[in-house]
């Protein structure tokens, strides 16, 4: 069967693919340490799981909900935005999706015409470029600075009359770096001056280990920036709920209406039981979030110096958020005789039994992404294996 051009052009998600490869090796009995896929290793907090069970028992989640999500969940999102960021939006500015991934996918579908360009400051999350292409748009990589944070000066070189939007992700996957409010404002003002849409992926916004928590949302940086911004967020990372698949977008009513229309032909609503669980997550006691966050911070504090001490691995500023490390491994590759990052990653998997993701997937070869969302003991063993591999 002849597949469409778009299906033939799409690359599978490197994060999910590497995670699956590691799982397969494990199933074959190989003791692989999986630092590839980015998801909290903690259980979903008990109260959230209980809320889901209660909703099932009460037969409250057997039907389709509104495509945009239940009013209760949209209200919970509105309230949480107000409580954490002081931002006021209405429930018709919120659309709930099957994970933040679907929010992003559907947003590109409604925003892009063929040839429209989307600026992606590298390093960027694996799915953005493929999602832009699937919508007929052109992903435009903006090469990174040494700090891995993009500046308006660099963006000025990348913008063309075809530029429609920019995706900003802070805290950033894969580097864990967090933009300051001043840095975000400078980029926001630049985007407003060029009349670009800002897609602000703030999925790691509450997983921050230094500075103000949560970090300032793009929606807080003034009326004109907010008017150009579509916020993307979700419960996957903050509440250890990756499998529940609840994300959301917040933006102008006309854009959200278009989003809803497209979603009504794609997924319909996100799973009703997951929406009930997400209400409990957003409105319930936030202590489990603090505990998980403390756990991530402790792991970062242990693993960062261990990794930095490994020959050939270079880390710039210590990450402040998310749960990733993104070392530059060009020296390590040269020391071991590898010319591509993919070969290096394969050797790490087969010889050191550590699964990580190649930097190519994030627009930055010569780097690897390691998730530290796993227990301390395992992380320490992983660092020992890495050290031995490099000896
Ligand atoms: N954005 C970023 C930067 C991510 O790392 C992820 C990973 N899950 C997502 C969006 C999508 O998250 P989800 O679909 O689980 O809500
Ligand atoms: N976002 C996570 C990651 O970057 C989960 C996998 C995915 O959805 O790509 O690893």
């Amino acid at each position: 069967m002849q597949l469409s051009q778009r299906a033939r052009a799409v690359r599978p998600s490197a994060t999910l693919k590497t995670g699956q490869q590691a799982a397969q090796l494990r199933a074959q009995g190989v003791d692989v340490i999986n630092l590839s896929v980015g998801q909290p290793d903690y259980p979903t907090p008990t109260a959230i799981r209980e809320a889901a069970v209660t909703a099932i028992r009460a037969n409250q989640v057997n039907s389709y909900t509104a495509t945009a999500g239940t009013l209760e969940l949209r209200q919970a999102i509105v309230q949480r935005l107000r409580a954490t960021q002081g931002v006021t939006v209405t429930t018709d500015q919120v659309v709930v999706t099957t994970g933040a991934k679907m929010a992003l996918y559907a947003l590109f579908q409604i925003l892009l015409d063929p040839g429209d360009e989307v600026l992606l400051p590298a390093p960027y999350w694996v799915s953005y470029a493929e999602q832009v292409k699937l919508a007929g748009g052109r992903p435009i990589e903006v090469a990174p600075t040494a700090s891995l944070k993009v500046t308006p000066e660099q963006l000025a070189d990348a913008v063309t009359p075809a530029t429609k939007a920019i995706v900003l992700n802070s805290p950033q996957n894969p580097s864990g770096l967090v933009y300051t409010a001043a840095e975000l404002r400078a980029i926001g003002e630049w985007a407003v001056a060029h009349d670009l849409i800002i897609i602000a992926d703030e999925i790691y916004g509450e997983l921050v280990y230094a500075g103000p928590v949560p970090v300032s949302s793009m929606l807080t940086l003034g009326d004109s920036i907010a008017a150009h911004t579509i916020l993307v967020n979700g419960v996957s990372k903050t509440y250890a709920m990756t499998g529940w698949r609840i994300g959301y977008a917040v933006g102008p009513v006309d854009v959200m209406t278009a989003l809803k229309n497209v979603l009504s032909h794609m997924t319909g609503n996100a799973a009703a039981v997951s929406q009930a669980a997400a209400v409990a997550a957003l409105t319930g006691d936030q202590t489990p979030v603090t505990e998980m966050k403390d756990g991530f911070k402790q792991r970062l504090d242990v693993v960062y110096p261990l990794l930095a001490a490994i020959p050939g691995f270079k880390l710039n500023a210590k990450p402040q958020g998310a749960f990733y490390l993104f070392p530059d491994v060009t020296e390590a590759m040269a020391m071991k005789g590898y010319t591509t990052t993919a070969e290096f990653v394969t050797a790490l998997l087969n010889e050191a039994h550590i699964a990580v993701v190649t930097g190519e997937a994030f627009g930055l070869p010569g780097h690897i992404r390691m998730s530290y969302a796993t227990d301390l003991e395992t992380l320490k063993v992983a660092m020992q294996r890495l050290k031995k591999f490099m000896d």
Side-chain angles (χ1 to χ4, degrees):
M1 289 178 198
Q2 176 73 39
L3 296 176
S4 69
Q5 278 177 13
R6 99 174 65 80
R8 282 181 277 145
V10 80
R11 285 179 303 182
S13 163
T15 46
L16 296 180
K17 199 170 133 195
T18 324
Q20 278 151 18
Q21 277 169 347
Q24 267 165 15
L25 276 178
R26 248 173 189 241
Q28 291 163 17
V30 183
D31 172 26
V32 174
I33 297 181
N34 187 1
L35 307 180
S36 62
V37 69
Q39 62 178 336
D41 57 320
Y42 297 109
T44 304
T46 312
I48 301 174
R49 285 185 276 148
E50 289 303 327
V53 172
T54 304
I56 291 171
R57 289 225 166 92
N59 194 32
Q60 288 166 348
V61 287
N62 62 322
S63 306
Y64 296 130
T65 72
T67 300
T70 62
L71 184 59
E72 210 187 351
L73 178 52
R74 282 179 290 131
Q75 278 167 344
I77 292 164
V78 166
Q79 276 157 19
R80 186 113 194 104
L81 255 180
R82 191 179 303 133
T84 57
Q85 297 286 351
V87 167
T88 303
V89 295
T90 54
T91 49
D92 55 359
Q93 286 183 266
V94 179
V95 171
V96 175
T97 53
T98 304
K101 190 178 272 188
M102 177 55 91
L104 289 157
Y105 181 91
L107 279 170
F108 294 127
Q109 294 290 323
I110 64 159
L111 295 174
L112 302 182
D113 280 318
D116 281 350
E117 296 178 357
V118 179
L119 300 179
L120 301 179
Y124 50 81
W125 181 48
V126 285
S127 289
Y128 301 147
E130 300 305 309
Q131 290 180 337
V132 168
K133 284 193 264 173
L134 283 166
R138 293 187 58 211
I140 305 294
E141 263 183 39
V142 184
T145 55
S147 74
L148 301 188
K149 287 182 184 176
V150 77
T151 62
E153 291 72 37
Q154 280 178 290
L155 293 169
D157 290 336
V159 75
T160 74
T163 311
K164 183 84 190 267
I166 172 169
V167 182
L168 274 180
N169 171 221
S170 175
Q172 192 193 65
N173 178 0
S175 71
L177 296 174
V178 181
Y179 284 75
T180 64
E183 288 165 342
L184 285 180
R185 183 174 288 110
I187 298 168
E189 283 168 359
W190 177 86
V192 170
H194 289 79
D195 200 18
L196 302 185
I197 297 162
I198 304 162
I199 298 178
D201 180 347
E202 299 180 1
I203 192 134
Y204 298 100
E206 299 208 31
L207 296 180
V208 186
Y209 317 115
V213 182
V215 283
S216 302
S217 166
M218 207 72 190
L219 291 180
T220 64
L221 302 177
D223 289 347
S224 49
I225 294 179
H228 280 75
T229 297
I230 303 170
L231 170 71
V232 174
N233 206 330
V235 296
S236 283
K237 315 290 174 170
T238 315
Y239 299 98
M241 290 178 72
T242 49
W244 298 78
R245 311 306 301 127
I246 294 292
Y248 54 87
V250 180
V253 174
D254 55 339
V255 178
M256 291 303 110
T257 303
L259 186 63
K260 209 163 54 182
N261 291 345
V262 165
L263 287 168
S264 75
H265 298 292
M266 292 176 75
T267 50
N269 60 275
V273 65
S274 298
Q275 293 191 57
V279 170
L282 294 167
T283 60
D285 178 17
Q286 300 295 303
T287 311
V289 175
T290 313
E291 286 168 2
M292 289 190 276
K293 220 173 59 187
D294 290 348
F296 287 134
K297 181 178 185 316
Q298 192 195 11
R299 294 162 178 187
L300 173 64
D301 288 344
V302 170
V303 81
Y304 177 79
L306 291 178
L307 185 62
I310 292 175
F313 281 64
K314 269 197 293 190
L315 283 155
N316 65 3
K318 186 176 174 185
Q320 296 173 300
F323 33 65
Y324 306 108
L325 293 156
F326 195 56
D328 179 330
V329 292
T330 40
E331 255 176 46
M333 284 163 54
M335 286 161 72
K336 296 290 287 182
Y338 294 104
T339 45
T340 71
T341 325
E343 283 165 5
F344 185 68
V345 164
T346 304
L348 281 179
L349 183 61
N350 293 332
E351 293 170 37
H353 296 163
I354 305 171
V356 299
V357 188
T358 166
E360 267 114 340
F362 304 92
L364 207 52
H367 290 67
I368 57 172
R369 191 194 74 173
M370 314 171 87
S371 161
Y372 57 86
T374 192
D375 65 277
L376 261 183
E377 278 321 300
T378 305
L379 283 172
K380 285 182 194 161
V381 174
M383 293 306 117
Q384 281 160 7
R385 287 189 190 178
L386 210 52
K387 193 160 178 292
K388 195 155 161 250
F389 177 79
M390 289 308 298
D391 272 348

